[in-house]
Amino acid sequence: MKNLSAILLLVVLFSISFSCKLEGDEDPLDVYREIAYNALPSDVKATVVGDWKDAEVAAWVDGYYLVIFQTNDSALGPVKVVVDPQRGTWVEILPRP
């Protein structure tokens, strides 16, 4: 009986632990990509090649991150968005050459 209670307790604990999702387990780079993508005007979004979730993310100056979206518009070139990770907002869309 004691073993049955212990097994039942373990089953319950395992099922609870597997059913719970930890908060904040999202990749911060995905968050920066989403912030940057949402900053783009719709006409620029339409030129982004592939999934926006695959955009390159690089460290930038002053603790900011640079998110780079490839586009199918040769005149437009890649679109670069600066993101502030502390505030969780975009700072600027860099001018294109």
Side-chain angles (χ1 to χ4, degrees), residues 8-93:
L8 183 59
L9 178 62
L10 285 174
V11 169
V12 169
L13 289 176
F14 279 125
S15 65
I16 290 172
S17 67
F18 285 116
S19 66
C20 292
K21 182 179 178 184
L22 295 176
E23 293 293 323
D25 61 349
E26 190 171 20
D27 183 357
L29 296 183
D30 288 341
V31 173
Y32 306 153
R33 288 180 183 102
E34 184 173 8
I35 291 168
Y37 185 74
N38 289 334
L40 300 177
S42 59
D43 60 327
V44 175
K45 286 180 183 178
T47 66
V48 171
V49 176
D51 191 354
W52 61 267
K53 294 178 183 177
D54 296 328
E56 180 184 347
V57 180
W60 193 242
V61 296
D62 297 330
Y64 294 155
Y65 284 88
L66 184 66
V67 181
I68 304 167
F69 298 99
Q70 297 301 320
T71 68
N72 60 10
D73 185 341
S74 59
L76 182 63
V79 177
K80 301 174 183 177
V81 182
V82 180
V83 174
D84 180 347
Q86 295 298 320
R87 294 187 339 214
T89 60
W90 64 279
V91 176
E92 68 178 306
I93 299 173

